[in-house]
Amino acid sequence: MIGSVDTSAARAWAASTAVRRNALLFLYAALAVTGIAGWAFKAHCLSGGVWYDLIQYRTGCYTDVIPFWSLRGVAAGQVPYIEARIEYPVLTGALIWLEGLLTRTLFDAAAISTAFLTVVAIVNLAFAFVVLDMLRRFGVPRARLWAWAASPLLVVYMAHNWDMMAVALSIGALLMARNGRLVPAALLAGLGASAKLYPALLVPLLCLQALLVADQDPLSRRFARSAAVGAAGLGAWIAVNAPIAWMAFDNWLQFYQFSAQRSTTAASIWEILGGHGLVTVSHEGRNTLATGLVVAGSAAIAALGWRRHARHAWTLFTPILIWFVFVNKVYSPQFDLWIYPLLLLTIRRRAPIVIFAAGSLLAFISELWFFAGQEGAAFSAGRWAIEVSALIRATGMFWAMASAIFEPAPHWISGEGLPGGSPGRRRRGPRLPAWVKAGAGPLSERTGLETAGASAYGGDPLPWCMAIAALFAACCSYGLLSPASLYFDETHYIPAARSLLQLVPANEEHPLLAKEIMAASIATLGDRAMGWRLPSLLIGTLGLFAFSRLMWWTSRRRFATIAGTILLATNFMWFIQSRIAMLDIFAAALLIVALWQFAAALAPETRRPNPRLAATGLCLGLSLGAKWSVAPFVALPALVLTILGRRDSAARRNGVPADRAGAKPLVLAVFWLGIVPLIVYWLTFAPAFFYASPASAIQPYDIVGQHLKMVALQASATGSHPNQSAWHEWVMNTRPVWYLYEEIDGAQRGVLMLGNPFTMLAGLAGLAWCIWAGLARKRADALALSAAYLIAVAFWIAAAKPVQFYYHYLLPGAFLMGCLALALDALFAKGGRRAWLAPGAVAASVAMFAWFYPIISAIPLSQGGGAFQAWMWLDSWR
């Protein structure tokens, strides 16, 4: 009986093995058929090794292989880089040479481009088999293996060029990373970067994982491990490239020069936006902006995805590569071959993969048909076809990005149950911090937000806040140096900063701190645009991040925090003031940092509030030292803390437990929020104590006299100004200021200091809701932000300064964005049919920012002097 059972089990196991073997054979056979179809698709239109009658565009059979045979010396046997120029990295150049050698060996004198195409197709098919085998080793479901083996994309790209080698090296690097072998993974990524540049994007992720995951190890060991991973990737790249660079540097450099000089392609986002006049930037500008977006976007993706994917950070290579391809100035069709196997490997959902593949095929055909029209063919497609295809493909790409970042990785990513091996043979993955294993971040564990009621609104969106601030900085940095000369009020403050370096008084009606920072920047970076404006960019980015933290500590609402940060980043005013050397951004940003620290100090879970209160007092003093417009807020934290302390003391005297974790004594309010800000503020005048002229120097003890002098100077600015306005015009966004509009630096440029036409008016509705919610529903967050807005506006209504401008609305406008965010959050939290209006409003703000971007950023306006008319919705804006 036992023997019969054993025999039955053995037969069942043998049958199962046979089924798996047969399924694998069918899979391999399907890939072979796909490879043959790919070769036939490219070869069918060749006659004697050449194309005729634009057939390569009309039928989609174009391939880079055909022109390379004769135009890059392959047919003549020339060695790439040494004897012939080639616009590919070294490893790909070596592969092309070897394939050419094999072609000449097999076909001898009869070798023509068709024969070369055949060899290339066979080699690429071999790499496709390697990719299929590695996907199988990952444990990818059979349906996805078939999606690779029988994909129409492989038919299109099998013999298109030589990118399949880089694809195989990238997937191999990911397989090594999944098995915990980070150094071999980096080696393969470095080799991949020697074939196509994009695998280099994987190396920083591998270094980051080696550094941060195994937190039980000493920091020195983790640094050493991370350095070893980085050195492996860089070393592999150097080992391949150094010999060629040493022997033929100019030809080796051809690939990098070609990449920098290459113009945009029809399917790239830059060409599409530029064709509609939305983003008209120079070729060099596109290079710079694309690079900045890649760096900032990659950092944001890593920050957003780390918490969920710390165990397998290499999966974030997929969204980073998608972002890299999307913002690149060139979108060649074969780039989709890089992305497709990564989607099969790392994306849980099937729908974005299908949408992406469909869009890729449509984009390939429409772009070639567009080229046919450019060459004069009777049958062609217009740009609209390319744009529709690009939209479909982008939909799949961004859906896949979101899935890769925010959703759990597919079950096969964990590496359990590897085919062909026992569990004992599988390498252990890297050790994880306890908070990653528990599924909660250290901040939420420390603050206890999940048990304090914040879980209803989601956890702290700190990674989102960091990502938005990084993207804002990248956006601000583009074109920061234009114009190269001073414009608008820079003509007042930069000369004052120069005078300060000489210890000569200037612009004495304002405090000194912002001008001191500008002076330090000029002394460090030089008296040029970078030295003038970089401090504003940095402090503006800090202020935006501080605003996001203020929103969180005030409301504990995830959507409100993210929405408020985006709304402020796109309300025009914060962007413009972060790119010009003026005082207002310093005062506003430092005040918001102070309010952030104060809100955090008041949190019940903050056990040591003194450091937060000290930071509040410090930043209040620095903010006032930048500009007096923040004066009403300097005493506000001390007043709030005093009221709360007295309320809690009274509650304890009456035997009622205070609702806060311990009262803050009155002495803290007096010292940290009263004395410290005043001391810090007065210390910002220190350089004036040492002016070169004793008659001009400020006496350290003459505090009252100095301020009376400044008040008199402020009030002396009488008369009128063509750009001046009143507070009610700011509220309705009807009286902007032209900072710049002239032909400068070789192009027509403009900077219109205007508020976002949508959010500045929608914010008033948000303000009304916050006032109602604060009074009727006792919402402290709504009451605080609405009060902050009203106080900031009231200051300018009561101010003695007779000439006022719209940029004085910078700080009230920031608080207005907070009010709008809280109102949208309430709408979003209700759910129902109207909930979509909340994210829709945020999207509308971003869209409005994109539309007005040319007229607020000083980028070249291709339409000339009359270009501004497109944005003049109101006569009062002119």
Side-chain angles (χ1 to χ4, degrees):
M1 184 67 180
I2 296 176
S4 63
V5 172
D6 291 343
T7 302
S8 299
R11 288 177 180 176
W13 179 84
S16 175
T17 302
V19 170
R20 289 196 300 269
R21 185 184 299 113
N22 291 336
L24 192 60
L25 289 175
F26 280 118
L27 195 64
Y28 286 160
L31 181 55
V33 171
T34 300
I36 295 171
W39 170 83
F41 177 65
K42 299 297 185 181
H44 82 278
C45 60
L46 290 170
S47 177
V50 296
W51 295 307
Y52 58 92
D53 195 23
L54 299 177
I55 192 172
Q56 72 273 26
Y57 299 137
R58 292 186 291 108
T59 67
C61 67
Y62 174 83
T63 169
D64 290 339
V65 175
I66 302 306
F68 260 70
W69 175 250
S70 57
L71 299 180
R72 296 297 183 272
V74 181
Q78 294 179 337
V79 179
Y81 314 106
I82 306 301
E83 299 177 308
R85 287 180 174 267
I86 191 169
E87 63 268 30
Y88 278 101
V90 170
L91 205 58
T92 298
L95 177 65
I96 294 171
W97 180 81
L98 288 172
E99 290 173 341
L101 177 63
L102 183 60
T103 302
R104 295 189 305 274
T105 301
L106 294 176
F107 297 92
D108 199 19
I112 59 175
S113 60
T114 306
F116 184 47
L117 177 69
T118 302
V119 173
V120 171
I122 293 172
V123 174
N124 281 346
L125 179 59
F127 284 124
F129 271 105
V130 172
V131 172
L132 178 61
D133 185 67
M134 288 188 292
L135 292 176
R136 184 182 66 85
R137 291 179 180 274
F138 265 105
V140 170
R142 186 175 301 172
R144 297 199 177 208
L145 296 179
W146 276 96
W148 172 256
S151 172
L153 287 180
L154 287 192
V155 175
V156 171
Y157 299 120
M158 182 65 73
H160 189 78
N161 69 351
W162 297 269
D163 287 8
M164 193 69 79
M165 178 172 62
V167 171
L169 288 169
S170 297
I171 301 300
L174 297 182
L175 183 60
M176 292 294 102
R178 194 282 302 270
N179 293 342
R181 304 176 64 186
L182 298 182
V183 170
L187 283 169
L188 289 176
L191 292 175
S194 301
K196 295 293 289 187
L197 198 57
Y198 80 90
L201 298 171
L202 177 59
V203 177
L205 286 174
L206 299 175
C207 294
L208 188 65
Q209 185 152 357
L211 176 64
L212 297 181
V213 170
D215 67 341
Q216 298 89 343
D217 291 345
L219 183 61
S220 59
R221 181 177 298 176
R222 285 185 279 142
F223 268 116
R225 182 168 54 246
S226 180
V229 171
L234 181 61
W237 182 87
I238 291 175
V240 173
N241 285 267
I244 301 300
W246 180 72
M247 290 185 288
F249 181 77
D250 291 340
N251 288 349
W252 170 81
L253 197 62
Q254 174 71 19
F255 163 70
Y256 302 97
Q257 292 176 334
F258 175 77
S259 299
Q261 297 167 3
R262 188 176 181 183
S263 60
T264 53
T265 56
S268 73
I269 187 65
W270 302 105
E271 192 67 18
I272 293 173
L273 293 177
H276 290 277
L278 298 178
V279 180
T280 54
V281 296
S282 64
H283 177 79
E284 293 76 12
R286 290 181 179 182
N287 282 342
T288 303
L289 186 55
T291 302
L293 288 173
V294 168
V295 174
S298 298
I301 289 169
L304 292 172
W306 178 257
R307 179 176 174 180
R308 184 175 291 278
H309 300 286
R311 188 185 300 276
H312 33 256
W314 50 269
T315 59
L316 296 176
F317 179 53
T318 299
I320 287 176
L321 178 59
I322 291 174
W323 178 248
F324 170 78
V325 169
F326 181 77
V327 302
N328 203 305
K329 65 176 181 176
V330 174
Y331 201 128
S332 295
Q334 67 270 14
F335 290 1
D336 294 343
L337 185 64
W338 308 350
I339 298 173
Y340 183 63
L342 293 176
L343 299 184
L344 296 175
L345 178 62
T346 61
I347 302 300
R348 293 174 61 90
R349 299 178 182 271
R350 298 177 182 178
I353 302 176
V354 174
I355 294 172
F356 169 79
S360 177
L361 291 173
L362 289 173
F364 176 81
I365 296 300
S366 62
E367 190 170 50
L368 290 182
W369 285 354
F370 173 76
F371 291 156
Q374 296 291 97
E375 295 292 331
F379 180 76
S380 63
R383 286 188 178 273
W384 65 268
I386 294 177
E387 293 174 2
V388 171
S389 303
L391 178 61
I392 296 173
R393 181 172 54 187
T395 301
M397 290 169 66
F398 278 94
W399 190 352
M401 280 183 66
S403 178
I405 295 171
F406 298 111
E407 294 184 343
H411 64 83
W412 57 84
I413 292 299
S414 65
E416 295 179 0
L418 289 177
S422 64
R425 294 176 55 191
R426 183 166 57 88
R427 290 179 176 265
R428 290 177 56 193
R431 290 175 291 173
L432 299 174
W435 62 268
V436 174
K437 295 178 181 177
L443 186 59
S444 62
E445 281 190 353
R446 179 178 63 82
T447 59
L449 296 182
E450 299 297 325
T451 60
S455 59
Y457 306 100
D460 185 354
L462 178 61
W464 276 98
C465 301
M466 297 171 61
I468 296 169
L471 288 174
F472 176 80
C475 189
C476 285
S477 63
Y478 174 69
L480 184 68
L481 308 185
S482 294
S485 56
L486 301 177
Y487 74 103
F488 196 61
D489 278 1
E490 287 184 338
T491 57
H492 299 301
Y493 302 125
I494 293 302
R498 293 167 179 163
S499 297
L500 195 59
L501 289 173
Q502 306 299 321
L503 292 179
V504 174
N507 190 243
E508 294 180 273
E509 65 269 26
H510 292 298
L512 294 181
L513 179 67
K515 291 171 285 186
E516 291 167 356
I517 296 173
M518 294 176 194
S521 180
I522 291 172
T524 304
L525 301 176
D527 195 355
R528 54 197 178 99
M530 179 63 75
W532 307 333
R533 299 175 191 142
L534 183 61
S536 296
L537 185 150
L538 296 177
I539 199 71
T541 303
L542 173 63
L544 178 67
F545 177 74
F547 183 78
S548 71
R549 308 315 297 152
L550 174 63
M551 289 294 299
W552 171 251
W553 285 106
T554 304
S555 70
R556 304 302 178 93
R557 282 163 165 79
R558 183 181 178 88
F559 180 85
T561 300
I562 297 172
T565 309
I566 297 174
L567 291 173
L568 180 59
T570 57
N571 83 333
F572 298 9
M573 303 180 71
W574 201 267
F575 171 80
I576 294 170
Q577 291 302 120
S578 296
R579 292 164 45 87
I580 187 170
M582 292 175 59
L583 311 182
D584 301 75
I585 194 66
F586 293 90
L590 288 168
L591 174 66
I592 291 174
V593 173
L595 297 179
W596 158 31
Q597 292 300 310
F598 182 64
L602 293 182
E605 63 272 16
T606 300
R607 298 179 180 179
R608 299 181 60 193
N610 282 355
R612 297 276 193 179
L613 293 175
T616 302
L618 173 66
C619 292
L620 286 174
L622 294 175
S623 177
L624 189 62
K627 196 169 184 179
W628 281 358
S629 56
V630 300
F633 294 93
V634 174
L636 194 60
L639 178 62
V640 170
L641 191 61
T642 301
I643 293 173
L644 291 176
R646 292 177 64 87
R647 186 197 67 182
D648 290 349
S649 298
R652 284 194 300 273
R653 284 197 302 269
N654 295 328
V656 179
D659 59 357
R660 297 178 59 253
K664 308 300 187 293
L666 180 61
V667 66
L668 292 181
V670 173
F671 181 72
W672 290 123
L673 304 179
I675 297 175
V676 168
L678 295 178
I679 293 175
V680 170
Y681 165 71
W682 186 239
L683 288 177
T684 62
F685 286 85
F689 302 160
F690 306 97
Y691 278 154
S693 171
S696 302
I698 298 175
Q699 299 301 317
Y701 303 105
D702 188 19
I703 299 175
V704 175
Q706 172 62 22
H707 284 78
L708 290 175
K709 177 182 177 181
M710 294 172 67
V711 169
L713 290 173
Q714 291 275 353
S716 66
T718 57
S720 62
H721 191 283
N723 285 320
Q724 74 181 65
S725 54
W727 68 270
H728 54 84
E729 294 174 305
W730 308 345
V731 172
M732 300 307 299
N733 201 25
T734 58
R735 186 61 173 160
V737 182
W738 279 103
Y739 279 10
L740 174 73
Y741 196 79
E742 61 181 287
E743 187 171 341
I744 190 170
D745 294 344
Q748 184 72 37
R749 302 174 188 270
V751 177
L752 177 64
M753 181 51 171
L754 174 74
N756 188 309
F758 171 67
T759 57
M760 285 301 179
L761 295 180
L764 298 178
L767 173 67
W769 181 89
C770 282
I771 294 174
W772 170 80
L775 296 176
R777 293 188 173 181
K778 309 300 182 183
R779 280 277 300 269
D781 54 350
L783 188 62
L785 284 170
S786 57
Y789 171 83
L790 295 174
I791 291 171
V793 172
F795 171 82
W796 289 106
I797 296 176
K801 187 177 176 65
V803 180
Q804 299 177 2
F805 302 93
Y806 183 66
Y807 59 79
H808 293 148
Y809 198 56
L810 176 68
L811 187 58
F815 294 131
L816 190 66
M817 295 303 98
C819 292
L820 178 58
L822 289 182
L824 293 176
D825 175 81
L827 181 63
F828 186 73
K830 284 184 178 180
R833 296 180 178 179
R834 297 180 181 179
W836 67 269
L837 292 174
V842 178
S845 178
V846 176
M848 198 69 70
F849 177 83
W851 174 257
F852 276 83
Y853 181 79
I855 203 66
I856 64 175
S857 61
I859 65 173
L861 301 173
S862 58
Q863 297 88 351
F868 75 99
Q869 298 286 354
W871 295 280
M872 297 299 100
W873 294 357
L874 299 178
D875 288 338
S876 60
W877 290 2
R878 297 177 183 273

